């Protein structure tokens, strides 16, 4: 029986787990979808907020208020994922991330943990 965590056998990985070309294709498709859906999502959220403020009775129910709240959380999660993880991975805005140093990493992780990203 192993009693110490550090005495566990080291697991080694043989080869690349995923082809880099496939990974690049999937990330490009996902980013394309993100670029299309994010402005559309923001626009729909704006219209829902506008209808709420104008007092449209059908859109003033608790259900639609919950939809608006979750829309903001979804938008924040999408932005946090790309600004915090994907852009640094791709090497975009390297100077900005180097300038922010550890603050960026801490902020990204706090928001990722609180928004349910995994």
């Amino acid at each position: 029986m192993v009693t110490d965590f550090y005495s566990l056998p080291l697991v080694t990985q043989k080869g690349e787990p995923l082809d880099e070309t496939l990974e690049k294709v999937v990330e490009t498709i996902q980013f394309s979808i993100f670029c299309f859906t994010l402005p559309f999502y923001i626009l729909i959220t704006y219209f829902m907020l506008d209808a709420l403020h104008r007092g449209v009775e059908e859109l003033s129910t608790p259900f639609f208020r919950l939809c608006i709240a979750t829309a903001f959380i979804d938008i924040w999660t999408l932005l946090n994922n790309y600004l915090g993880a994907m852009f640094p991975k791709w090497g975009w805005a390297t100077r900005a991330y180097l300038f922010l140093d550890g603050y960026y990493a801490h902020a990204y992780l706090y928001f990722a943990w609180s928004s349910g990203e995994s």
Side-chain angles (χ1 to χ4, degrees):
M1 183 168 131
V2 177
T3 58
D4 185 17
F5 177 76
Y6 296 105
S7 65
L8 293 174
L10 182 63
V11 177
T12 58
Q13 179 179 338
K14 294 182 180 179
E16 191 66 28
L18 187 63
D19 184 26
E20 288 182 28
T21 308
L22 177 63
E23 184 177 345
K24 184 107 174 139
V25 167
V26 169
E27 287 176 355
T28 304
I29 291 170
Q30 287 176 337
F31 186 63
S32 301
I33 293 170
F34 165 78
C35 288
F36 173 74
T37 58
L38 184 66
F40 185 68
Y41 201 6
I42 291 172
L43 188 67
I44 289 175
T45 306
Y46 169 77
F47 286 135
M48 288 177 70
L49 270 175
D50 185 50
L52 180 68
H53 288 294
R54 283 189 288 127
V56 176
E57 191 174 323
E58 294 84 13
L59 298 178
S60 296
T61 63
F63 173 76
F64 284 101
R65 290 175 189 244
L66 181 64
C67 288
I68 292 170
T70 56
F72 281 114
I73 293 169
D74 287 344
I75 291 168
W76 182 256
T77 303
L78 283 170
L79 289 173
N80 190 48
N81 185 38
Y82 276 95
L83 292 174
M86 297 309 291
F87 289 172
K89 177 184 175 189
W90 295 334
W92 295 5
T94 306
R95 287 185 182 195
Y97 292 111
L98 289 175
F99 173 76
L100 294 172
D101 198 29
Y103 298 113
Y104 127 79
H106 285 95
Y108 165 70
L109 290 174
Y110 291 143
F111 288 121
W113 291 335
S114 65
S115 65
E117 288 183 38
S118 50

